[in-house]
């Protein structure tokens, strides 16, 4: 093959193009094919070079989604080069996905002689991408179902603890108090039994509230946040919690409430467990675009050697499930979760 207007083509370049695994064509200024390598012929379904040489690239195969590609003459000399994924047409008319990159061929003085385009058949890659997308979708559905059933289960167990075990313990307490009146001589041991039952009632209520606070369902996310923060402060003596809640209860879409509450719960638990903070500030606000932003700011030691995805730097080891499940909850609510270093010291976790 002798290129029409390219003078002095080195053999080594010609051999390299001929042996290339990418499909390569070279056209002249008008888009007429002056060179096509064996890979191109094979992938596009041509048997002989003669079938393509001297034909216009735009007439020979179409590329879907390429603006002006059929007007090949339109781009030659105007665009330096470009790459992208398109559908190319096989000789038999079928379409298949290719990655194309093309560039102008210029002489030493910058005059455009034509165009070189290389294609890679990405049918397999696209198939894998589709399969991956599908399985990601399935995983997302699965985790949504898991979160939902986990909440239902927690709600059910919390109710059984309250209404079942809690009510039974209360009855036992009343009966013991009754016995106190009937058997004053057993006062001491009966009073001891009453105080044990009393603390069992308290423990049952505490466990039930931690599982799923009924306040969240009965009164909403704001009372639940305030309740949790008070509880948290009591449990973590010395850790002050401030709140800046700048939205109204009715502005938080119902299905979001559980996600907001659970993210808050995990983030505050993490701050107490890992950060060594003295102060935590919980904020809830709404942006102009109607996004709800939950932020938790601590003045602790920051993520340190952990990267901000919660992985130990330089390792694939994910320590816990807390951050991962918060991210998943935020994603499932159509938002995202960001972990940022706080100015000075500490961490800001923001869920949109
Ligand atoms: N506020 C924080 N300040 C500093 N480091 C933090 C903070 N929150 C999380 N981390 C770091 O991120 C890691 C991952 O947190 P994550 O909640 O995913 O796991 P965990 O709390 O260790 O375990 P789990 O939540 O499963 O009980 C923690 O082990 C800790 O090193
Ligand atoms: Mg955690």
């Amino acid at each position: 093959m002798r290129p029409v207007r390219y003078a002095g083509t080195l053999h080594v370049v010609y051999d390299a193009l001929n042996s290339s695994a990418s499909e390569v064509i070279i056209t002249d200024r008008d888009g007429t094919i002056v060179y096509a390598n064996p890979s191109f012929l094979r992938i596009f379904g041509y048997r002989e070079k003669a079938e393509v040489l001297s034909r216009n690239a735009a007439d020979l195969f179409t590329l879907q989604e390429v603006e002006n590609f059929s007007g090949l003459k339109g781009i030659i000399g105007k665009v330096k080069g470009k790459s992208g994924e398109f559908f190319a047409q096989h000789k038999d008319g079928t379409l298949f996905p290719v990655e194309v990159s093309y560039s102008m061929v210029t002489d030493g003085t910058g005059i455009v002689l034509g165009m070189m385009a290389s294609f890679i058949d990405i049918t397999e890659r696209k198939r894998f991408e589709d399969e991956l997308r599908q399985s990601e979708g399935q995983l997302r559905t699965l985790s949504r179902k898991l979160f939902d059933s986990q909440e239902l289960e927690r709600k059910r167990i919390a109710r059984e603890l309250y209404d079942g075990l809690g009510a039974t313990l209360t009855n036992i307490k009343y009966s013991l108090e009754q016995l106190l009146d009937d058997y004053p001589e057993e006062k001491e041991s009966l009073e001891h039994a009453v105080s044990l039952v009393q603390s069992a009632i308290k423990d049952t209520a505490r466990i039930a509230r931690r599982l799923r606070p009924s306040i969240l369902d009965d009164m909403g996310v704001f009372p639940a946040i305030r309740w949790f923060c008070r509880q948290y402060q009591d449990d973590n003596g010395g850790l002050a919690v401030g709140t800046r809640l700048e939205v109204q209860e009715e502005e938080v879409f119902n299905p979001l409430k559980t996600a907001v509450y659970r993210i808050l719960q995990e983030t505050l638990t993490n701050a107490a467990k890992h950060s060594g903070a003295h102060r935590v500030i919980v904020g809830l606000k709404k942006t102009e675009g109607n996004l709800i932003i939950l932020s938790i700011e601590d003045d602790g030691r920051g993520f340190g050697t952990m990267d901000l995805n919660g992985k130990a730097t330089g390792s694939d080891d994910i320590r816990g499930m807390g951050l991962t499940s918060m991210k998943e909850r935020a994603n499932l609510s159509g938002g995202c979760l960001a972990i940022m270093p706080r100015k000075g010291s500490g961490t800001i976790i923001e869920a949109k």
Side-chain angles (χ1 to χ4, degrees):
M1 190 225 63
R2 189 147 292 278
V4 178
R5 281 193 219 159
Y6 299 104
T9 307
L10 294 169
H11 278 296
V12 66
V13 176
Y14 182 68
D15 289 345
L17 288 173
N18 263 350
S19 337
S20 170
S22 318
E23 300 91 61
V24 180
I25 57 161
I26 299 174
T27 74
D28 68 9
R29 286 183 64 91
D30 300 324
T32 305
I33 297 175
V34 295
Y35 171 79
N37 75 350
S39 291
F40 176 86
L41 297 175
R42 192 179 61 253
I43 298 297
F44 279 76
Y46 297 98
R47 298 179 69 177
E48 304 289 338
K49 277 185 186 164
E51 288 183 85
V52 298
L53 291 184
S54 305
R55 293 178 64 183
N56 196 286
D59 303 334
L60 196 61
F61 58 88
T62 55
L63 285 183
Q64 278 191 4
E65 296 163 33
V66 184
E67 246 176 80
N68 287 333
F69 198 85
S70 52
L72 196 61
K73 291 170 201 163
I75 60 164
I76 293 184
K78 291 186 184 153
V79 187
K80 267 194 171 165
K82 208 174 172 182
S83 64
E85 290 178 5
F86 306 106
F87 279 100
Q89 195 173 29
H90 190 270
K91 184 186 173 187
D92 67 10
T94 53
L95 293 175
F96 62 103
V98 287
E99 191 178 281
V100 186
S101 61
Y102 59 89
S103 50
M104 296 308 130
V105 180
T106 53
D107 71 3
T109 65
I111 292 173
V112 175
L113 300 173
M115 182 190 71
M116 179 162 110
S118 74
F119 306 78
I120 297 173
D121 182 352
I122 53 169
T123 308
E124 277 299 290
R125 188 166 94 197
K126 284 282 156 204
R127 198 169 56 76
F128 282 133
E129 281 174 8
D130 283 349
E131 282 173 8
L132 199 64
R133 244 191 310 279
Q134 262 180 23
S135 70
E136 272 175 358
Q138 284 165 350
L139 272 177
R140 192 126 290 178
T141 310
L142 184 67
S143 57
R144 191 189 300 276
K145 284 189 175 161
L146 275 175
F147 279 136
D148 288 350
S149 65
Q150 191 187 45
E151 287 303 329
L152 277 175
E153 190 67 358
R154 285 179 173 176
K155 222 187 261 191
R156 189 184 62 76
I157 299 172
R159 200 172 306 129
E160 275 179 18
L161 280 174
Y162 254 131
D163 301 344
L165 191 57
T168 309
L169 287 169
T170 308
N171 281 338
I172 295 175
K173 186 176 153 254
Y174 285 140
S175 305
L176 286 170
E177 282 166 347
Q178 191 67 48
L179 288 175
L180 249 177
D181 291 341
D182 300 344
Y183 301 94
E185 67 278 15
E186 297 293 337
K187 187 171 183 277
E188 203 174 319
S189 56
L190 284 171
E191 273 181 349
H192 181 61
V194 169
S195 79
L196 286 179
V197 176
Q198 184 76 48
S199 86
I201 293 171
K202 267 194 191 157
D203 285 348
T204 310
R206 188 174 45 81
I207 296 168
R209 269 199 300 269
R210 290 215 168 146
L211 270 173
R212 165 107 189 168
S214 53
I215 199 171
L216 182 61
D217 301 305
D218 302 340
M219 299 176 72
V221 71
F222 285 78
I225 290 178
R226 289 201 185 92
W227 169 79
F228 185 79
C229 290
R230 267 199 314 275
Q231 195 80 21
Y232 176 82
Q233 234 174 198
D234 292 347
D235 293 347
N236 300 283
L239 216 171
V241 185
T243 47
R244 268 190 231 127
L245 308 179
E246 296 161 2
V247 225
Q248 302 299 315
E249 180 76 37
E250 53 279 10
E251 289 177 296
V252 187
F253 183 48
N254 257 341
L256 268 188
K257 293 183 179 177
T258 300
V260 167
Y261 180 77
R262 292 295 180 206
I263 291 174
L264 172 88
Q265 190 183 29
E266 174 59 27
T267 318
L268 286 188
T269 306
N270 272 354
K273 218 162 92 178
H274 308 295
S275 79
H278 296 293
R279 188 168 167 74
V280 182
I281 298 173
V282 175
L284 200 62
K285 62 181 182 199
K286 201 167 109 175
T287 64
E288 281 176 11
N290 271 343
L291 284 175
I292 300 287
I293 299 186
L294 168 72
S295 65
I296 294 99
E297 196 176 320
D298 71 59
D299 61 358
R301 65 176 67 92
F303 267 60
T305 55
M306 303 290 292
D307 71 16
L308 295 184
N309 289 315
K311 287 181 189 172
T313 312
S315 104
D316 287 337
D317 167 37
I318 297 175
R319 295 282 171 84
M321 284 310 294
L323 285 178
T324 313
S325 83
M326 281 196 291
K327 282 187 176 168
E328 191 63 9
R329 275 190 193 273
N331 290 340
L332 287 174
S333 309
C336 58
L337 186 108
I339 305 171
M340 297 166 282
R342 179 175 166 271
K343 216 174 172 182
S345 72
T347 308
I348 301 175
I349 301 212
E350 214 175 68
K352 263 184 205 146

